[in-house]
Amino acid sequence: MADTSFLAWPFFEDRHRAFAERLEPWCAANLPVDHDNVDDACRALVRMLGDGDWLSTTGSDDDGGALDVRTLCIARETLARHDGLADFAFAMQGLGTGAISLFGTTEQRNWLKKTRVGDAIAAFALTEPQSGSDVANIAMTAQADGDDYLLSGEKTWISNGGIADLYTVFARTGEAPGAKGISAFVVRGDAAGLSVAERLHVIAPHPLARLRFEDVRVPASAMIGASGQGFRIAMAVLDVFRSTVGAAALGFARRALDESISRAANRNLFGAPLGDLQMVQGHIADMAVDVDAAALLVYRAAWTKDMGAPRVSREAAMAKLFATDRAQRVIDQAVQLHGGDGVRQGHIVEKLYREIRALRIYEGASDVQKVVIARQVMGGGG
Ligand SMILES: Cc1cc2nc3c(=O)[nH]c(=O)nc-3n(C[C@H](O)[C@H](O)[C@H](O)COP(=O)(O)OP(=O)(O)OC[C@H]3O[C@@H](n4cnc5c(N)ncnc54)[C@H](O)[C@@H]3O)c2cc1C
């Protein structure tokens, strides 16, 4: 049983503690699922999470209430501790509809009625082959055509690419060069002209694709927010969800620590449990400090956002950078303490070792988070 003493921290309210207490037994009863076919697994997970009423937290409600970042973080931490793919399925429902939750029209918000119950799968399509970290350099165009727009270009590394019912797509409407000439659109997964150009296979498999848009026609009413505001919208969405990536890393790290504590108690070497060796105790202590420090940064960021801060760039960047980097270190130590078992295919710490890596790359690579933090602290933003 993982340490839940952090729930007593003043960042949380009783409703958060109650949520965590409800989610834990649900995860224990339902996860992990079979990952043999990741598309089917993700579809099944979205269905299960919807039926369990866990997805209602991923989108704002009918009144347009704010997303509760602490709840999102608790959910991701808990799900990641049980099954990385379950965390992925949950997270994408939120990230894929974040722009609608924050800026959507009444019509666009109808999608939330579906994604919040698991009836539709969502995706967030920002990255392009030539513009990963350099987001303002995207090339996909949205050309006005009467009352419609025609979207043309490519998106890559799109999670849920190929299985999503809706995509939030960022394209160049040309008001100005760079960040100012981008707009956001809702695009149906079955839109004519939208196709999967390539499936991408990564070390911790999940549905990922490069997508091709060939004159994909969307009505002007599909634009989220105002024309030319797409970059600002993307950053506002990432401002909410970046801390939750740290929370997922925290879940992976907590699982690695739990597995290591158990291994230290149950593996006998030199006539005594492994945990009697002081150097092993040193590893466990380092792991525990990393986990608690990451949790403090993650929940500080989530609490700050929930308290109404318009932007939490510094807090969220620190949370993501630290939690993902330290989770990598914690998991590496867990692999070490498990000896040969740690690198055996299918062992839980071997899976964690693969799961954690991409979190230091997506939603802003670690180096990019450092740039954000340095700009904030050197520019007087804390
Ligand atoms: C598993 C996975 C899932 C993803 N899901 C999605 C998704 O759903 N939607 C979506 O739109 N995108 C998604 N992405 C894309 C992801 O956001 C990009 O991979 C990421 O932004 C980095 O872009 P890139 O891969 O082109 O790397 P590059 O931009 O080429 O960067 C490579 C490296 O260069 C360094 N670097 C870059 N910029 C700087 C800088 N300013 N200062 C210092 N160093 C720097 C960093 O070390 C970085 O890792 C996903 C990626 C992965 C791996």
Side-chain angles (χ1 to χ4, degrees):
M1 177 65 191
D3 175 20
T4 53
S5 59
F6 72 98
L7 290 166
W9 290 351
F11 295 126
F12 302 106
E13 298 167 27
D14 283 345
R15 65 194 169 91
H16 297 115
R17 290 181 264 275
F19 178 86
E21 269 170 34
R22 280 199 313 275
L23 181 55
E24 180 63 35
W26 185 89
C27 290
N30 293 287
L31 303 178
V33 298
D34 184 357
H35 289 200
D36 276 354
N37 179 324
V38 286
D39 289 9
D40 288 349
C42 280
R43 288 192 188 98
L45 280 163
V46 169
R47 180 76 277 141
M48 285 161 61
L49 289 163
D51 290 348
D53 193 26
W54 304 112
L55 295 177
S56 55
T57 59
T58 61
S60 62
D61 57 24
D62 289 347
D63 302 330
L67 292 164
D68 190 82
V69 187
R70 288 167 294 176
T71 305
L72 290 172
C73 286
I74 290 172
R76 289 201 66 178
E77 175 181 341
T78 311
L79 291 166
R81 190 154 45 72
H82 288 271
D83 184 353
L85 208 56
D87 162 61
F88 166 82
F90 174 89
M92 287 317 301
Q93 294 299 94
L95 184 66
T97 57
I100 298 177
S101 282
L102 298 179
F103 302 98
T105 60
T106 308
E107 183 194 337
Q108 291 162 359
R109 297 178 65 79
N110 283 329
W111 276 111
L112 298 176
K113 292 188 182 21
K114 294 186 174 181
T115 56
R116 291 174 84 235
V117 296
D119 284 348
I121 295 178
F124 180 81
L126 178 63
T127 304
E128 297 182 9
Q130 81 302 334
S131 68
S133 306
D134 188 5
V135 176
N137 192 33
I138 67 168
M140 175 177 275
T141 54
Q143 187 80 42
D145 184 44
D147 287 341
D148 300 335
Y149 283 90
L150 295 174
L151 273 59
S152 300
E154 274 197 355
K155 294 288 174 186
T156 193
W157 293 113
I158 304 309
S159 298
N160 282 341
I163 68 163
D165 297 293
L166 78 145
Y167 295 88
T168 297
V169 180
F170 297 85
R172 194 159 284 291
T173 33
E175 293 76 6
K180 294 211 171 101
I182 297 169
S183 301
F185 297 89
V186 192
V187 179
R188 296 182 62 90
D190 59 4
L194 168 56
S195 61
V196 173
E198 183 186 8
R199 283 297 296 251
L200 304 174
H201 303 283
V202 292
I203 54 176
H206 63 263
L208 262 182
R210 179 163 60 86
L211 301 173
R212 185 167 296 135
F213 290 70
E214 291 169 300
D215 283 341
V216 173
R217 184 174 289 278
V218 294
S221 61
M223 186 185 281
I224 307 172
S227 179
Q229 293 294 305
F231 184 84
R232 195 174 71 84
I233 289 171
M235 293 306 121
V237 171
L238 292 175
D239 211 48
V240 171
F241 285 94
R242 197 160 269 155
S243 319
T244 77
V245 181
L250 181 57
F252 292 144
R254 240 189 246 287
R255 180 64 183 267
L257 174 59
D258 291 349
E259 296 293 332
S260 301
I261 292 168
S262 163
R263 174 83 178 189
N266 296 319
R267 169 82 168 146
N268 280 305
L269 282 182
F270 310 109
L274 187 64
D276 281 7
L277 299 171
Q278 283 196 339
M279 217 180 301
V280 171
Q281 292 171 17
H283 279 302
I284 301 275
D286 286 344
M287 294 160 88
V289 172
D290 278 348
V291 164
D292 273 16
L296 281 162
L297 280 174
V298 165
Y299 289 110
R300 189 262 306 243
W303 173 83
T304 307
K305 186 74 185 166
D306 289 343
M307 289 303 106
R311 293 296 293 260
V312 287
S313 307
R314 170 175 168 268
E315 292 84 353
M318 284 184 177
K320 181 182 186 277
L321 170 70
F322 190 86
T324 57
D325 280 9
R326 292 308 169 94
Q328 183 90 54
R329 189 163 88 168
V330 168
I331 293 166
D332 187 64
Q333 290 181 94
V335 169
Q336 194 70 21
L337 290 177
H338 279 76
D341 284 341
V343 289
R344 213 180 61 212
Q345 271 187 10
H347 193 285
I348 178 66
V349 294
E350 180 268 342
K351 283 196 234 166
L352 292 167
Y353 193 75
R354 290 184 287 104
E355 292 273 11
I356 187 59
R357 192 61 186 87
L359 278 65
R360 294 168 62 204
I361 296 171
Y362 64 63
E363 290 188 44
S366 291
D367 313 78
V368 174
Q369 303 308 328
K370 286 184 190 172
V371 173
V372 171
I373 294 163
R375 259 192 215 140
Q376 292 278 318
V377 297
M378 293 167 79

